Amino acid sequence: MSDVDLEDVASWCLRQKWLGMREDNTQWQKREFLPQLLEVYQQERPKELKREAENAARRAEWDRIAADSRKAAERAAHQAWLMRDMRAWGRENGYVVGTRGRIPRKVIGAYKEAKGI
């Protein structure tokens, strides 16, 4: 039998509510289930650790996707702000700029030159 961390076994048993035994059970009182418990633990714990690792990898992937989405939303918000600012600047400086559609290249060029972009 390999090295077994008894605290890990105990916490695993509590999580599994192993065997559904109660303290008034004679097997429980004599602790006759321990060899069986260790055998089940050694079979099941690696599977549980693998599932936990897979779940952690899945959560990390979802976190990465969420971060990418937030970055994309921030870029889109900045672009929208830039377009509004460019249109307002163009109107203030005598250019004809619509409320929608493309901003004329001369307005973009003049805006960038004035703002130092």
Side-chain angles (χ1 to χ4, degrees):
M1 194 175 293
S2 65
D3 274 345
V4 175
D5 180 4
L6 292 179
E7 288 203 22
D8 191 38
V9 173
S11 65
W12 181 79
C13 292
L14 289 173
R15 284 195 308 276
Q16 303 300 320
K17 295 184 176 68
W18 199 74
L19 291 180
M21 286 189 186
R22 296 191 322 244
E23 291 183 21
D24 60 351
N25 186 310
T26 56
Q27 253 190 333
W28 176 270
Q29 291 169 354
K30 294 179 183 179
R31 304 294 195 255
E32 293 173 349
F33 60 89
L34 286 175
Q36 184 184 4
L37 169 67
L38 288 173
E39 181 182 329
V40 170
Y41 171 81
Q42 289 174 334
Q43 291 172 358
E44 297 299 321
R45 184 64 175 148
K47 295 175 192 174
E48 185 178 346
L49 290 173
K50 182 180 176 191
R51 279 192 306 272
E52 288 173 3
E54 289 168 353
N55 288 341
R58 202 171 302 120
R59 278 192 304 275
E61 178 65 13
W62 281 108
D63 289 347
R64 186 192 61 75
I65 290 170
D68 289 349
S69 295
R70 280 191 300 275
K71 288 177 188 173
E74 289 169 5
R75 284 191 302 270
H78 176 71
Q79 191 67 17
W81 171 83
L82 186 60
M83 295 298 111
R84 281 192 307 273
D85 191 48
M86 217 177 275
R87 288 177 195 283
W89 181 89
R91 284 188 208 102
E92 290 169 4
N93 289 285
Y95 292 96
V96 177
V97 182
T99 57
R100 294 174 31 179
R102 269 184 183 227
I103 299 173
R105 286 184 188 250
K106 62 182 179 183
V107 175
I108 294 172
Y111 176 83
K112 286 182 175 181
E113 189 177 315
K115 299 285 184 168
I117 299 175

